Amino acid sequence: MLRSAHAFSQAVRATRTLHTTPALAVKRRNNRKAELEAQRNAEVEAARRAQEQLRKLKDTNFLNSLVNPEKLFSTTQISQEDAAAASSGSSAFLPQGGEGAGTIRREANSGHFSCHVQPAEVKLVTEVAPKAMVGSDFRFSLQVMPEMAEKSAQIQADIVRRVVSLDNANSSAIMHYNIGNAVKTFGRSDGDSGSPEVQAAVWTVRINNLEDHLRGHNKDHHNRRAYTKLLHKRAKMLKYLKRESLERYYLCLKQLGLTKEMVEGEILQPKRIF
């Protein structure tokens, strides 16, 4: 009788263990999965808040005035057919069918010009000069009709405008344009290119250019190291500006979209730029 009772109690204990242990393990796994999911959601939310704060911080007049090559090139692309329909003067140089038709052509009307060309100079060449050339050249009145002469002069002026337009320049020319804008904005006098504010602004232009490059080329370790060196150079220059003038230091930080922690804190080489 005792043996049968003992055997029955062992069987009940084994049955309880058999039925309860997997349930507890599954419950622990579900809790761990929920904890990991909550942790990932918290990290994503923190990253989103940091990106939003950084976007608001970089919403300054100087940074908004810089020309972004990707945005400039993507917003000034039109097809050959649209260009021919929009500009009758330039349609003489567009391929009508065959090879080259339907390809991408830049509109080149953003108002930015490379090689330190001013908009007033472009207006003089593209608007005033063609009319003066048609009126002064006797060959137009003797050999061709006035309408054809004016059309030819407008085509030549449009070629000049496209040559000097920043829309048809490369990324290096756009960066030089932004550097000139930084010198003009932060210079304390005409031609000032050596003050701490100007040097920090120029390095900010180069840093932003490398950031745009590294977002699409995350394995470019050489430029990542150059990016980190520029961060250290800018921080060193801004620390020097802080010793010279505290008011100029904080004004420069606000215009460049920086915080004190970005300059005075530890600067590490980023693994990836988002």
Side-chain angles (χ1 to χ4, degrees):
M1 185 71 180
L2 293 176
R3 289 181 180 178
S4 61
H6 181 68
F8 177 75
S9 62
Q10 286 183 348
V12 170
R13 192 180 298 112
T15 305
R16 289 178 179 175
T17 305
L18 179 65
H19 288 289
T20 57
T21 303
L24 292 176
V26 170
K27 187 175 181 180
R28 291 194 190 97
R29 285 199 298 269
N30 291 336
N31 292 338
R32 181 58 180 168
K33 183 178 180 180
E35 291 175 1
L36 292 176
E37 187 68 22
Q39 184 179 359
R40 281 194 291 266
N41 293 336
E43 292 176 355
V44 170
E45 182 65 21
R48 188 191 64 80
R49 291 177 181 175
Q51 288 292 334
E52 184 68 19
Q53 184 178 3
L54 184 62
R55 186 188 63 80
K56 293 181 179 179
L57 186 66
K58 290 189 174 184
D59 189 14
T60 63
N61 294 331
F62 169 68
L63 295 179
N64 291 333
S65 66
L66 299 179
V67 178
N68 190 341
E70 294 183 0
K71 293 181 179 179
L72 179 66
F73 294 160
S74 62
T75 56
T76 59
Q77 289 182 349
I78 58 176
S79 64
Q80 295 281 12
E81 291 80 3
D82 294 338
S87 176
S88 59
S90 301
S91 61
F93 292 95
L94 299 178
Q96 303 296 330
E99 186 178 358
T103 56
I104 295 299
R105 176 187 176 93
R106 302 210 181 280
E107 199 171 8
N109 61 354
S110 63
H112 303 291
F113 303 100
S114 59
C115 304
H116 304 285
V117 177
Q118 301 299 323
E121 299 173 346
V122 176
K123 184 178 180 180
L124 176 65
V125 173
T126 59
E127 297 181 8
V128 180
K131 297 179 182 179
M133 184 174 62
V134 171
S136 62
D137 199 337
F138 294 102
R139 291 179 302 172
F140 289 127
S141 60
L142 295 177
Q143 297 179 5
V144 297
M145 298 176 62
E147 294 80 5
M148 295 182 61
E150 186 176 355
K151 182 178 179 180
S152 177
Q154 289 178 354
I155 290 175
Q156 296 178 15
D158 185 70
I159 292 174
V160 173
R161 180 179 62 82
R162 290 182 180 278
V163 168
V164 298
S165 177
L166 201 64
D167 304 349
N168 292 320
N170 55 10
S171 299
S172 178
I174 294 176
M175 188 180 66
H176 284 296
Y177 175 84
N178 290 332
I179 289 176
N181 189 15
V183 172
K184 186 187 301 183
T185 303
F186 287 87
R188 304 179 67 185
S189 60
D190 293 337
D192 178 20
S193 60
S195 60
E197 296 96 325
V198 174
Q199 296 187 48
V202 169
W203 282 329
T204 300
V205 171
R206 296 184 180 275
I207 287 170
N208 292 343
N209 187 48
L210 281 178
E211 279 184 357
D212 295 337
H213 171 75
L214 291 175
R215 284 191 185 97
H217 305 81
N218 59 334
K219 293 187 178 181
D220 190 352
H221 305 297
H222 176 75
N223 279 323
R224 184 180 290 109
R225 183 173 180 271
Y227 171 79
T228 308
K229 290 173 67 177
L230 285 178
L231 290 178
H232 282 277
K233 284 184 177 182
R234 183 178 66 181
K236 186 176 180 180
M237 183 57 62
L238 289 173
K239 289 177 184 177
Y240 167 77
L241 179 61
K242 182 180 180 180
R243 293 194 300 268
E244 294 294 319
S245 174
L246 198 61
E247 181 180 359
R248 289 164 53 193
Y249 169 73
Y250 283 109
L251 180 61
C252 186
L253 286 185
K254 184 178 180 180
Q255 292 176 334
L256 295 179
L258 302 174
T259 60
K260 185 174 67 174
E261 290 76 14
M262 293 180 181
V263 176
E264 301 176 6
E266 185 179 8
I267 299 176
L268 300 176
Q269 182 171 343
K271 294 182 179 180
R272 188 167 184 175
I273 297 177
F274 298 97

